[in-house]
Amino acid sequence: MKKTLRRVGAVGLAAATVVPGLSFGPAALAAPATPDAEATVQVIFKDGAKYHTASASTGPRSNVTYPDLASATQGAPRLGVKPLDNGLFALLTTRPSDGNPACLYIPPVEIAGIVQMRTWDGAECDTSDVATQWWFDGTTLRSAVFPSKAIGGVGENLYSNYLRLLNGTPLTLESDLSALYALVGKVNSIDLPARLASIGGMATPGSFIIVNGDEEVEVAADGSWSYQVSGLKLGSNSVELEQYENGVKTEESTLDVVLDVRPVSAAVSFPVDLGQDAMLSGAAQPGATVIVTDVDGTEIARTDARPGSGIWSTPIPAPNAGGD
């Protein structure tokens, strides 16, 4: 004899429990620690025997080439470091000629495979625009627009010459970029079933990161660090990060690690023949196991959601009533 449900409804006739599958979320970034408001850097690139820097004074796409490091250091503009809420930063200055704002800017559209690095004024220096956002990977600058590329050479056209982003080996940075080592954390991957997250980021080389007031991680010589956080709960988890240098706390930040599970949805279709099973179907976390119970919590069916779409379906005993 088939077991009938005590309640009838499209979704409410049965409870569904999800056993999550493996999930990798986007690389969320911690809110950065704020560097000194007066922090400035010069961005100077070595190219063989020459040195290049973007100029804020001679045009929107201009690169200036110097014969030696001393003259490049004397001529390169100082750029203010503005930390952003997503853990990246903008590099800002003003044009000596008119006092208008300027910034290091990457157009979000590639032109003939070449991406120009340019200083620009006006609305294009809005730091909410991804084209103005950068991070320092311990070796070179990376653009939020094309993160796999780096400043790798100089290009020319009829109107200007300019630094450009390329795949491959970047030009060597010859300037002091210690002001760019703000404490930044990001989520690299999430293991939902194990309640684990791999996190990492950038900090001052040789410093130590304290995670949640307990675990200590040494920062590598290139400014990178990584750690695996365990014991996380479903939903949002705040991970506290503190940077210590020579026993003194110099920066702190909070990283939000989200273990996000897709909600279960369900609908039931009843056959005309009341002796046949009803069909319960819906969507859930891809790869999850969906368990269907009656109102007393007794399991009556289970099935796996498809690994790609999360769609699932299973027959269940009909509640002695036809229709949808």
Side-chain angles (χ1 to χ4, degrees), residues 125-137:
C125 276
D126 179 356
T127 54
S128 65
D129 185 347
V130 69
T132 68
Q133 298 177 6
W134 300 84
W135 85 91
F136 183 51
D137 67 3

Side-chain angles (χ1 to χ4, degrees), residues 264-288:
V264 180
S265 63
V268 66
S269 177
F270 299 106
V272 176
D273 182 354
L274 300 184
Q276 300 297 313
D277 286 339
M279 183 60 66
L280 188 64
S281 61
Q285 177 75 20

Side-chain angles (χ1 to χ4, degrees), residues 11 68 73-74 87 100 129 168 237 247-248 283 313 319:
V11 177
D68 53 61
T73 301
Q74 183 176 4
N100 285 331
D129 185 347
N237 299 263
V248 178
S313 64

Side-chain angles (χ1 to χ4, degrees), residues 105-191:
Y105 175 91
I106 297 292
V109 178
E110 294 194 54
I111 303 173
I114 296 174
V115 182
Q116 301 166 357
M117 177 181 177
R118 46 178 162 166
T119 51
W120 203 270
D121 44 334
E124 287 179 310
C125 276
D126 179 356
T127 54
S128 65
D129 185 347
V130 69
T132 68
Q133 298 177 6
W134 300 84
W135 85 91
F136 183 51
D137 67 3
T139 302
T140 191
L141 286 176
R142 297 283 180 183
S143 163
V145 181
F146 301 105
S148 65
K149 296 185 177 184
I151 311 297
V154 175
E156 293 188 68
N157 57 29
L158 293 175
Y159 307 101
S160 62
N161 70 6
Y162 44 84
L163 294 168
R164 60 182 186 174
L165 290 184
L166 298 171
N167 291 313
T169 304
L171 295 179
T172 302
L173 273 169
E174 290 289 338
S175 35
D176 177 12
L177 297 182
S178 58
L180 303 182
Y181 278 116
L183 173 58
V184 174
K186 65 178 180 178
V187 179
N188 295 318
S189 65
I190 292 174
D191 184 340

Side-chain angles (χ1 to χ4, degrees), residues 14-281:
T17 303
V18 171
V19 180
L22 182 65
S23 174
F24 291 95
L29 289 167
T34 304
D36 184 345
E38 302 299 321
T40 60
V41 295
Q42 290 180 300
V43 180
I44 301 170
F45 299 93
K46 189 176 190 304
D47 182 11
K50 299 177 181 179
Y51 296 82
H52 306 296
T53 183
S55 170
S57 59
T58 57
R61 301 181 184 178
S62 290
N63 154 72
V64 177
T65 299
Y66 298 91
D68 53 61
L69 182 58
S71 57
T73 301
Q74 183 176 4
R78 299 207 66 86
L79 306 175
V81 182
K82 179 179 180 180
L84 306 174
D85 288 342
N86 60 2
L88 308 183
F89 54 79
L91 295 172
L92 308 174
T93 187
T94 55
R95 289 192 188 284
S97 59
D98 53 21
N100 285 331
C103 59
L104 293 188
Y105 175 91
I106 297 292
V109 178
E110 294 194 54
I111 303 173
I114 296 174
V115 182
Q116 301 166 357
M117 177 181 177
R118 46 178 162 166
T119 51
W120 203 270
D121 44 334
E124 287 179 310
C125 276
D126 179 356
T127 54
S128 65
D129 185 347
V130 69
T132 68
Q133 298 177 6
W134 300 84
W135 85 91
F136 183 51
D137 67 3
T139 302
T140 191
L141 286 176
R142 297 283 180 183
S143 163
V145 181
F146 301 105
S148 65
K149 296 185 177 184
I151 311 297
V154 175
E156 293 188 68
N157 57 29
L158 293 175
Y159 307 101
S160 62
N161 70 6
Y162 44 84
L163 294 168
R164 60 182 186 174
L165 290 184
L166 298 171
N167 291 313
T169 304
L171 295 179
T172 302
L173 273 169
E174 290 289 338
S175 35
D176 177 12
L177 297 182
S178 58
L180 303 182
Y181 278 116
L183 173 58
V184 174
K186 65 178 180 178
V187 179
N188 295 318
S189 65
I190 292 174
D191 184 340
L192 255 175
R195 304 293 193 267
L196 300 174
S198 173
I199 65 174
M202 302 300 299
T204 302
S207 65
F208 289 86
I209 305 301
I210 307 299
V211 182
N212 283 335
D214 184 20
E215 297 296 327
E216 184 174 276
V217 183
E218 185 172 5
V219 180
D222 65 357
S224 64
W225 64 272
S226 62
Y227 181 74
Q228 182 171 273
V229 184
S230 59
L232 299 172
K233 68 180 189 298
L234 295 179
S236 179
N237 299 263
S238 292
V239 177
E240 301 299 325
L241 305 174
E242 298 171 294
Q243 175 181 277
Y244 280 79
E245 299 177 70
N246 299 318
V248 178
K249 184 168 73 172
T250 54
E251 297 202 43
E252 60 184 13
S253 183
T254 301
L255 176 63
D256 189 27
V257 181
V258 180
L259 273 60
D260 194 13
V261 177
R262 181 177 178 181
V264 180
S265 63
V268 66
S269 177
F270 299 106
V272 176
D273 182 354
L274 300 184
Q276 300 297 313
D277 286 339
M279 183 60 66
L280 188 64
S281 61

